[in-house]
């Protein structure tokens, strides 16, 4: 039996899930945890079963990408590291896998070695950007627990080995620290305002950075929402007081929609950004141009990984600039350097909460379902718009 397991040293380059070919003895077709009864999915091997599970999320691209990443890592570990089919995994195997997530070895096989995230088709692609911290490990195993629960419900597996895992209670902080305090946000703005604009391409790139961070800060948008919504989602509505106000309708997580106040500042930034791209001052209804335009091929929305990298670039440059100011700025530099795109959403919520009613903040970020009758409460919506416009400002210097 041991002669069937291929030594990791002679295995080929890791392939993403779409190109992964499972060796026959690791395919799971005869896995010890396979259910004895006829399954309810047309899958005869572990890869096909995982793909059947992922197909449930094809209408939610962000969720699909997150779930695929974790299932893909597990399958690759089974084949290239552990020599055991997914359908053979036990409770003890997952203890080993948890240790692997914390320290994927060998690094050159499992962890990205390039500065910018490589596309899945690239030979530089790896399953990990870095080892996972405790919170990310818990998230990974939670996703895999959902996978295995579904495989049991579908009659593909007899049991879920993750059900035996001891779930440690996590003391969650009363307040999140994953946001930029006002002084750090001011430093990020300074970095963007100092970007070079000496060439047409540099000017266009600087305009895109400024617009992206304006959207993230005023709107509290997720990266997937930046990528999946369009200019035509801006619209104006006359309030009960006779004033015209601009809004941005966002289709967000779980295909839920919410209306974000397009404050006077945000509309000004929208006009500024559209002018830099030779577009009319304001979008018309049905405008299909992406919210964030690529430098080349403006009709095509940017991918999430590319937008994430734009945000990280600004954070890295801000940290570098702060460190150049001297050792007194090291703590601030380290904090900004750790930040991710989602920190901007937390930053928006935290800064709004300083001066605004929490219900308005909740509705701006879409943290809770808005009741059906709220579409008739335009007076309440108008008050939220006015609060956001008055209390939550970008602070660009010019």
């Amino acid at each position: 039996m041991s002669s069937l397991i291929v030594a990791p040293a002679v295995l080929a380059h890791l392939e993403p899930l779409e190109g992964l070919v499972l060796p026959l003895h690791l395919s799971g077709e005869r896995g010890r945890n396979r259910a004895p009864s006829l399954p309810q999915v047309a899958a005869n091997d572990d890869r096909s079963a995982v793909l059947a599970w992922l197909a449930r999320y094809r209408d939610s691209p962000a969720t699909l990408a997150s779930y695929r990443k974790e299932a893909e890592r597990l399958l690759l570990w089974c084949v290239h590291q552990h020599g055991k089919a997914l359908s053979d995994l036990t409770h003890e195997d997952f203890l080993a896998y948890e240790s692997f997530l914390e320290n994927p070895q060998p690094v050159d096989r499992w962890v990205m070695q390039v500065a910018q995230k490589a596309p899945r088709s690239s030979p530089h692609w790896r399953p990990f950007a870095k080892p996972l911290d405790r919170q990310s490990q818990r998230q990974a195993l939670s996703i895999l627990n959902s996978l295995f629960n579904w495989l049991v419900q579908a009659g593909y597996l007899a049991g879920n080995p993750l059900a035996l895992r001891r779930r440690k209670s996590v003391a969650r902080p009363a307040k999140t620290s994953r946001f930029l305090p006002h002084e750090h946000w001011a430093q990020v703005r300074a970095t963007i305002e100092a970007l070079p604009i000496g060439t047409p391409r540099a000017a266009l790139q600087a305009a895109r950075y400024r617009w992206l961070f304006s959207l993230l800060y005023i709107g509290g948008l997720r990266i997937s929402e930046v990528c999946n919504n369009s200019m035509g989602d801006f619209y104006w509505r006359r309030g009960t007081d006779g004033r015209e106000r601009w809004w941005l309708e966002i289709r967000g997580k779980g295909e839920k929609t919410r209306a974000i106040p397009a404050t006077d500042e945000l509309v000004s930034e929208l006009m500024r950004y559209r002018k830099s791209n030779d577009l009319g001052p304001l979008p018309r209804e049905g405008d299909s141009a992406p919210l964030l335009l690529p430098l080349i091929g403006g009709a095509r929305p940017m991918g999430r990984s590319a937008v994430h990298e734009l945000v990280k670039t600004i954070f890295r440059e801000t940290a570098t600039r702060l460190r150049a100011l001297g050792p007194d700025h090291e703590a601030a530099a380290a904090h900004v350097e750790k930040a991710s795109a989602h920190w901007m959403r937390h930053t928006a919520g935290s800064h709004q909460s300083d001066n605004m009613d929490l219900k308005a903040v909740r509705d701006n970020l879409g943290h809770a379902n808005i009741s059906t009758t709220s579409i008739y409460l335009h007076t309440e919506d108008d008050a939220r718009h006015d609060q956001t416009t008055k209390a939550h400002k970008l602070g660009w210097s010019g």
Side-chain angles (χ1 to χ4, degrees), residues 98-355:
E98 195 166 357
S99 298
F100 171 76
L101 293 176
E102 186 176 9
N103 184 25
Q105 292 290 337
V107 170
D108 59 350
R109 170 171 290 246
W110 292 100
V111 182
M112 294 273 193
Q113 300 296 305
V114 290
Q116 190 167 354
K117 187 176 180 183
R120 295 172 62 79
S121 58
S122 168
H124 298 294
W125 176 86
R126 298 291 185 272
F128 293 87
K130 60 182 179 181
L132 302 191
D133 59 24
R134 291 302 300 166
Q135 182 177 343
S136 299
Q137 291 169 42
R138 285 191 293 268
Q139 175 70 5
L141 292 170
S142 175
I143 291 172
L144 294 176
N145 185 55
S146 298
L147 164 63
F148 276 78
N149 277 338
W150 186 83
L151 292 177
V152 172
Q153 292 171 10
Y156 182 80
L157 293 182
N160 176 6
L162 276 166
L164 301 175
R165 180 171 169 264
R166 176 172 169 253
R167 287 166 176 76
K168 301 174 184 176
S169 60
V170 181
R172 300 192 180 276
K175 296 181 180 179
T176 180
S177 62
R178 299 170 67 206
F179 75 100
L180 301 175
H182 288 278
E183 58 270 24
H184 294 179
W185 166 234
Q187 292 291 347
V188 169
R189 292 200 314 270
T191 297
I192 295 171
E193 290 178 320
L195 288 171
I197 55 172
T199 66
R201 182 181 177 86
L204 202 58
Q205 188 152 330
R208 183 173 64 176
Y209 277 122
R210 177 164 170 151
W211 172 238
L212 171 59
F213 276 81
S214 297
L215 273 175
L216 296 177
Y217 184 74
I218 291 292
L221 269 62
R222 302 175 177 91
I223 289 298
S224 58
E225 294 168 347
V226 172
C227 297
N228 296 337
N229 289 275
S230 65
M231 294 280 190
D233 293 320
F234 280 97
Y235 67 97
W236 67 267
R237 185 174 72 201
R238 193 179 302 279
T240 55
D241 58 0
R243 286 180 55 202
E244 294 177 0
R245 295 173 176 84
W246 279 86
W247 299 83
L248 173 58
E249 184 175 80
I250 290 295
R251 293 177 303 281
K253 196 172 183 180
E255 292 301 306
K256 297 174 185 174
T257 61
R258 69 185 189 276
I260 295 172
T263 66
D264 295 346
E265 274 190 315
L266 188 61
V267 173
S268 294
E269 290 300 321
L270 170 64
M271 295 171 69
R272 179 185 180 125
Y273 180 61
R274 287 176 63 86
K275 181 180 179 181
S276 71
N277 283 274
D278 297 323
L279 298 173
L282 290 168
R284 298 179 181 271
E285 184 178 354
D287 189 332
S288 61
L291 276 181
L292 193 69
L293 299 163
L295 296 185
I296 301 174
R300 178 176 48 84
M302 296 182 65
R304 290 189 305 120
S305 60
V307 180
H308 271 289
E309 184 57 32
L310 289 178
V311 176
K312 288 296 293 183
T313 296
I314 293 298
F315 289 152
R316 285 193 294 265
E317 290 188 11
T318 302
T320 299
R321 190 171 57 78
L322 285 169
R323 287 194 173 99
L325 298 176
D328 290 346
H329 297 271
E330 175 56 36
H335 186 71
V336 173
E337 195 170 42
K338 285 194 304 184
S340 67
H342 203 69
W343 282 41
M344 285 303 300
R345 181 168 163 82
H346 292 315
T347 299
S350 297
H351 291 191
Q352 288 184 30
S353 299
D354 290 342
N355 301 299

Side-chain angles (χ1 to χ4, degrees), residues 73-85:
R73 285 170 173 170
L74 180 64
L75 273 174
L76 289 170
W77 176 78
C78 286
V79 173
H80 291 270
Q81 197 84 5
H82 202 54
K84 203 169 184 179

